[in-house]
Amino acid sequence: MSHDEKTPETPGPAALHGLLAEYDTPAGILAASQKIRDAGYSRWDTFTPFPVHGIDKAMGIKMTVLPWIVLGAGLSGLATAIALQWYTNTFDYKWLISGKPFFSIPANVPIMFELTVLFAGITALVAMLVLNNLPLPSHPLDFVRRFARSTDDRFFLLIEAADPKFDEESTKALLEGTHPAAVETVKEDNVTSNKLPKVLIYGVVILTVIATVPFALAAKARHATSKQTRIHAVLDMDAQPKYKAQRRNPVYADGRSTRLPDPDTVAVGDLREDSHFYRGKMNGGWARTFPPQVRLEDATMKRGQERFGIYCQPCHGVGGEGNGMVAKRAEELQQGTWVPPTNLTQDYLRQMAVGELFNTITNGIRNMPAYGPQITTEDRWAIIMYLRALQRGHASKTAGLPPATGGTN
Amino acid sequence: MATAKKTSKGKGGGSDRKDEAPSSAEPKKSPKAKVDDAALQTLVPGVSDNIRLGGEGSALFVKAAGIAVVSLGIAAAMGASQGDDFRRFSHSYLVAFAVGLAISAGFLYWVTLQHLVNSHWSVVLRRIAEVFAANAPVLAVLSLPIVLPVLGGQALIYDWADHAKVEADHLLHHKAPYLNPTFFAIRMIFYFGFWTLLSRFFLKGSLRLDETGGAEIIPSMRRVAGPAMIVWALTLTFCAVDLLMSVDAHWFSTIFGVYFFASCVLCVHAMLTLTVLWLQGKGRLVKSVTVEHFHDVGKMLFAFTVFWAYVGFSQFMLIWYANVPEETAWFKERFAHGWADVSWALLFGHFVFPFFGMLSRHIKRNRKTLAFFAVWMLAMVYLDMYWLVMPNVLENPEFALMDVFNVLGIVSALIAAAAQRAKSINLLPTKDPRLARSLAFENI
């Protein structure tokens, strides 16, 4: 070792970086670390091929601040998730989904969990790199031949010349007192740059710029219109090889996609010969009696009451007076186009043939839509049966009833 | 409750704290004066420890067995005085039994897992787990007050056990091919039979290793551990479904077995912590089990509070989102009346508080704070089981001494059986080739 090279800040080769000691065993480096720690050095480190138990304590390494950083990042992730969902769901773009509240915690928990983990995880990685001064493209130890064995079977201890207590003579004496296999001086690295390669930096910058392009395009698209058709990402789903109803179909002469049944044919089970039961007609006029298929009994009446409650009551009201919830609401809104539902207890309806009532339910009348497709034939007759009961109830006079049950019609 | 269970080992825990407090960071210290040096046995060069329970085991057996018999007797008497044909008592007993099941089945899982992954760090703790896991036959006997009424066709807990109720209920009728008394009893025999065989296999193999030192036993146990783990998972899932989910046989949840599994793992690590602290209070395993082992057990305890919350919420959110009446009914019951308070208590007591409480490594490396959270989590597992079962019989949660005596009785019975088993064997596998590494284990 030549002393004239020791002058600090000398341009040119080989300023002193520090002193490197090599040990054969984990026990050796543990003992050495304790000595260096107790001697009060601050800028030094150890290099071992595997984690050595107790090295933290031997080196006097303090608890890292990393857990607190990760905790902070995790909580910010949580806060971000809550704020993001609150802003989008209750403020920026309200969207009512099956009657659930706009901001409801259960639905938000998965995002809260994910963002907490994401923020904490990424921060743990980045903060760990920063706290460890990584990435480190070059280090003077890279040029020490024996140091290669630090990933194999040797244990190393490096004291940097930058340490305030460093003195080449005394430090070397101290290290030699720790029974090392060897002590070697390490020169500063004047050959390679300690900076990240330019290519890498430019590469990252260019990739970052490219990565913003999709976002920029999306942002532009939000505020612009386009005459071009949209991009079909999944072509065979957007353009399926089939003919839809109401579309042109070149296969047939009439060009229709929707086909009518062939003339003079009836689908199996669709032959409805019984005019009384299916259409309410008898001998060319409206039937005045219930068809024989309808059983005039309690069960049918119950069924009719239930179906009436489902299909008729919303407009015609519980008692059939034409004052259902829909009618009330429509009157409240006072819109001119509304035609009030018929009061089913009127006299002319009491006199009306059951066949005609059946036809009205089946095919609708004026504003009332056809209920044939929704209510089965039997149920339509059951509803009429119940309607007859309602009409009777309305027409009855309390005076005509026996005193014991007066007023309970 | 778990706090009550603590009293059965409270003295040990208390003296242990006194013992360990000055050196909570450094486990190396001489055992208490009353332990004579002749009891020390050299485990590896440089480490000797007292690893025989001996008289302390007999004393604990007498104490715990006494508490178990008296507690269960008092609880049964209280149940009889209710005048509801033991209906309230049966539910209370089932809650306590579920905690006992979580402890026993959990320890068996833990032993199987250590063999499966060839774990080194846990070798010093494995014997304790093997001893507790071998409680499966004890648990089978304790299950009789639940299984026998079912076989007798009495719907004390389970509506599906009563033939008349099944005939009157379409859904129960539909499920009857599975949920019927005979098949239920057969399944119980299978579960407890399998657990008994498996736990005896591991304990016997481990003891044989103590005698012969033939390390070839270890790979043979590892080979069994893989398939055994699969069968164990299935038996636990079905057992949880049979005992706990079928309390409300109309309701179902496919994640229920996993939900109960979380309680099993929590119980294992809480019980390991408390057992080792008691043993160290008696001067056993003082040098073998270090703060590093406690730290790892604490990590698992912490991790599984999160796991429990994850699974519990997964179960809740899917049901909440789909809003299908046959699924929501179960939660509606638990969000109404006083049960809403219990639900909130679980959310905060079973997850939020222990999560932030155990987040720091200092908490997990301190025997006192770790012991606190071990007791806390056992109490929360009890509350969880209470919340699963009790709405079936109570419109509002209500405190009853019967509940305390039941869980005290069942957990004491398990401790008594474990003490009886442990008193004449080594408290750790002395000839396990991985022991040295386990003793020197350190968290990086």
Side-chain angles (χ1 to χ4, degrees):
Chain A
M1 149 152 321
S2 52
H3 287 257
D4 44 359
E5 281 177 5
K6 216 187 111 188
T7 330
E9 309 297 329
T10 317
L16 187 65
H17 177 74
L19 283 167
L20 183 72
E22 179 185 324
Y23 302 89
D24 293 333
T25 62
I29 196 151
L30 274 176
S33 294
Q34 283 163 3
K35 276 197 180 164
I36 306 299
R37 175 194 71 193
D38 294 342
Y41 284 87
S42 56
R43 297 203 57 167
W44 61 290
D45 207 350
T46 54
F47 307 86
T48 59
F50 53 81
V52 173
H53 284 174
I55 193 85
D56 291 25
K57 210 179 283 174
M59 288 178 69
I61 292 175
K62 290 189 201 76
M63 202 48 204
T64 165
V65 73
L66 189 61
W68 290 104
I69 299 175
V70 175
L71 177 66
L75 291 177
S76 343
L78 182 69
T80 307
I82 295 172
L84 174 75
Q85 293 179 96
W86 175 83
Y87 173 76
T88 51
N89 292 338
T90 72
F91 189 75
D92 188 39
Y93 205 85
K94 278 189 179 184
W95 193 256
L96 187 64
I97 299 164
S98 49
K100 291 185 161 69
F102 289 112
F103 185 68
S104 68
I105 293 291
N108 297 343
V109 166
I111 310 292
M112 282 151 63
F113 173 77
E114 297 298 345
L115 282 199
T116 305
V117 173
L118 181 74
F119 277 42
I122 290 179
T123 306
L125 174 68
V126 173
M128 184 273 290
L129 291 176
V130 171
L131 289 175
N132 283 321
N133 290 328
L134 292 173
L136 191 64
S138 161
H139 192 277
L141 283 176
D142 296 344
F143 300 90
V144 180
R145 182 164 288 275
R146 69 168 76 243
F147 186 72
R149 289 180 77 177
S150 68
T151 59
D152 188 2
D153 60 350
R154 285 291 188 275
F155 306 82
F156 292 90
L157 194 157
L158 173 76
I159 304 181
E160 289 179 25
D163 192 298
K165 297 202 77 161
F166 187 86
D167 172 77
E168 195 171 350
E169 295 294 337
S170 63
T171 304
K172 190 168 187 184
L174 177 68
L175 278 176
E176 269 160 1
T178 61
H179 317 293
V183 176
E184 183 176 336
T185 54
V186 181
K187 303 289 180 196
E188 281 296 1
D189 167 23
N190 289 347
V191 186
T192 53
S193 164
N194 199 17
K195 296 209 171 73
L196 283 174
K198 285 247 159 58
V199 185
L200 199 65
I201 295 171
Y202 288 141
V204 169
V205 169
I206 290 168
L207 282 177
T208 310
V209 170
I210 292 173
T212 61
V213 169
F215 296 102
L217 289 176
K220 176 178 171 276
R222 272 182 77 104
H223 301 286
T225 51
S226 168
K227 282 182 181 162
Q228 284 177 323
T229 51
R230 66 191 181 88
I231 301 162
H232 292 274
V234 188
L235 198 63
D236 54 354
M237 207 163 135
D238 288 346
Q240 297 175 17
K242 69 176 184 187
Y243 293 104
K244 292 181 178 174
Q246 314 298 344
R247 294 270 175 83
R248 203 180 147 68
N249 185 342
V251 176
Y252 299 104
D254 63 2
R256 293 169 192 247
S257 286
T258 319
R259 308 308 303 164
L260 290 166
D262 287 340
D264 301 324
T265 59
V266 175
V268 175
D270 270 11
L271 181 63
R272 290 173 171 177
E273 255 184 324
D274 186 346
S275 187
H276 187 183
F277 183 61
Y278 287 110
R279 289 176 284 281
K281 284 199 167 174
M282 252 171 114
N283 310 323
W286 295 118
R288 299 207 73 87
T289 58
F290 283 89
Q293 291 95 327
V294 180
R295 301 162 70 121
L296 302 178
E297 57 186 28
D298 272 1
T300 319
M301 184 66 92
K302 282 255 162 60
R303 178 77 183 167
Q305 182 180 19
E306 186 195 77
R307 297 292 107 179
F308 183 89
I310 293 170
Y311 294 106
C312 316
Q313 186 180 308
C315 283
H316 290 289
V318 181
E321 292 101 335
N323 56 357
M325 290 306 294
V326 175
K328 282 182 186 167
R329 173 84 175 136
E331 272 159 34
E332 228 174 74
L333 293 173
Q334 293 187 326
Q335 287 175 340
T337 53
W338 175 252
V339 180
T342 308
N343 178 353
L344 300 177
T345 61
Q346 292 171 85
D347 249 6
Y348 86 92
L349 285 170
R350 277 183 60 202
Q351 313 298 336
M352 189 179 271
V354 285
E356 195 175 352
L357 288 171
F358 181 85
N359 183 57
T360 308
I361 297 177
T362 309
N363 299 315
I365 188 165
R366 294 187 291 275
N367 268 27
M368 174 172 156
Y371 279 84
Q374 290 187 58
I375 313 175
T376 62
T377 313
E378 287 85 353
D379 284 349
R380 270 174 269 154
W381 284 113
I383 287 173
I384 292 165
M385 208 168 127
Y386 178 68
L387 176 60
R388 278 291 188 238
L390 275 182
Q391 290 171 335
R392 255 192 179 174
H394 253 273
S396 64
K397 300 273 186 296
T398 41
L401 291 168
T405 56
T408 61
N409 55 351
Chain B
M1 319 223 344
T3 39
K5 187 200 62 51
K6 175 96 198 324
T7 46
S8 69
K9 38 172 58 189
K11 285 192 189 89
S15 58
D16 168 73
R17 282 175 210 163
K18 240 184 289 142
D19 191 32
E20 293 300 315
S23 63
S24 60
E26 270 293 335
K28 307 271 189 293
K29 74 181 296 299
S30 57
K32 290 202 305 190
K34 68 173 189 173
V35 180
D36 63 308
D37 287 348
L40 290 183
Q41 185 175 335
T42 305
L43 300 172
V44 295
V47 182
S48 351
D49 208 346
N50 185 350
I51 56 163
R52 302 291 284 201
L53 198 50
E56 294 287 356
S58 316
L60 178 63
F61 169 72
V62 171
K63 228 186 290 176
I67 292 175
V69 172
V70 172
S71 296
L72 289 177
I74 295 177
M78 285 174 149
S81 72
Q82 296 260 323
D84 59 354
D85 294 333
F86 286 102
R87 199 171 139 70
R88 172 78 174 77
F89 170 80
S90 295
H91 284 79
S92 170
Y93 187 84
L94 176 62
V95 174
F97 183 79
V99 175
L101 175 68
I103 293 171
S104 287
F107 270 114
L108 182 55
Y109 152 80
W110 196 81
V111 172
T112 314
L113 180 70
Q114 306 314 315
H115 283 298
L116 184 62
V117 300
N118 193 18
S119 159
H120 288 67
W121 75 273
S122 62
V123 171
V124 292
L125 299 171
R126 212 183 61 225
R127 179 60 51 78
I128 298 169
E130 286 163 352
V131 163
F132 268 105
N135 274 341
V138 180
L139 211 60
V141 174
L142 289 173
S143 77
L144 291 180
I146 299 168
V147 179
L148 290 182
V150 169
L151 274 177
Q154 279 183 290
L156 293 182
I157 307 175
Y158 308 107
D159 280 350
W160 51 261
D162 185 343
H163 189 68
K165 285 189 179 175
V166 172
E167 286 311 308
D169 188 315
H170 177 70
L171 206 52
L172 290 187
H173 185 74
H174 181 71
K175 292 182 179 183
Y178 182 82
L179 285 180
N180 64 68
T182 317
F183 193 25
F184 174 79
I186 292 171
R187 288 197 302 271
M188 285 295 146
I189 291 169
F190 177 74
Y191 303 148
F192 287 110
F194 171 72
W195 294 337
T196 304
L197 289 178
L198 187 64
S199 58
R200 284 178 71 86
F201 169 76
F202 282 132
L203 180 61
K204 283 197 158 176
S206 187
L207 290 175
R208 202 161 67 239
L209 182 63
D210 271 16
E211 284 168 22
T212 62
E216 74 284 346
I217 298 171
I218 292 171
S220 78
M221 288 199 283
R222 194 182 316 147
R223 270 195 297 279
V224 171
M229 186 61 102
I230 296 172
V231 182
W232 181 88
L234 290 171
T235 50
L236 186 87
T237 303
F238 279 91
C239 190
V241 167
D242 289 350
L243 281 174
L244 296 170
M245 201 169 95
S246 79
V247 167
D248 184 347
H250 282 199
W251 184 74
F252 55 89
S253 161
T254 48
I255 207 172
F256 196 82
V258 185
Y259 184 80
F260 184 69
F261 166 71
S263 296
C264 293
V265 183
L266 281 171
C267 281
V268 172
H269 295 98
M271 286 296 287
L272 264 182
T273 305
L274 297 176
T275 310
V276 175
L277 284 177
W278 180 83
L279 286 170
Q280 293 194 335
K282 299 286 179 195
R284 268 65 169 188
L285 300 184
V286 172
K287 286 190 178 163
S288 314
V289 183
T290 69
V291 69
E292 303 293 339
H293 301 106
F294 278 113
H295 188 186
D296 260 21
V297 171
K299 282 181 208 165
M300 291 298 287
L301 192 64
F302 168 73
F304 272 80
T305 61
V306 184
F307 182 79
W308 173 87
Y310 190 96
V311 174
F313 182 76
S314 303
Q315 175 173 284
F316 168 71
M317 196 191 74
L318 293 191
I319 290 175
W320 175 85
Y321 228 114
N323 207 10
V324 180
E326 63 192 25
E327 294 174 352
T328 50
W330 192 83
F331 276 110
K332 193 162 166 45
E333 224 172 27
R334 281 153 184 80
F335 290 160
H337 310 297
W339 291 108
D341 299 337
V342 181
S343 303
W344 283 109
L346 275 177
L347 175 62
F348 284 93
H350 204 309
F351 170 59
V352 178
F353 169 61
F355 176 80
F356 285 103
M358 284 194 279
L359 199 50
S360 162
R361 69 187 255 126
H362 303 293
I363 303 288
K364 285 169 282 203
R365 289 176 78 88
N366 182 318
R367 286 167 163 82
K368 276 186 201 173
T369 47
L370 185 61
F372 167 77
F373 278 108
V375 173
W376 178 268
M377 287 321 297
L378 283 175
M380 280 303 136
V381 168
Y382 179 83
L383 187 66
D384 190 15
M385 297 301 128
Y386 190 83
W387 180 80
L388 287 180
V389 171
M390 280 297 179
N392 197 45
V393 70
L394 296 177
E395 198 177 330
N396 279 301
E398 60 184 41
F399 174 80
L401 268 179
M402 191 205 314
D403 301 334
V404 179
F405 280 116
N406 265 328
V407 74
L408 185 64
I410 286 191
V411 177
S412 299
L414 296 180
I415 290 174
Q420 178 68 10
R421 209 169 287 123
K423 70 181 182 189
S424 51
I425 58 175
N426 293 331
L427 292 173
L428 47 79
T430 44
K431 289 186 182 154
D432 193 308
R434 299 163 294 192
L435 180 64
R437 282 182 67 181
S438 180
L439 288 167
F441 169 67
E442 196 169 310
N443 280 284
I444 305 289

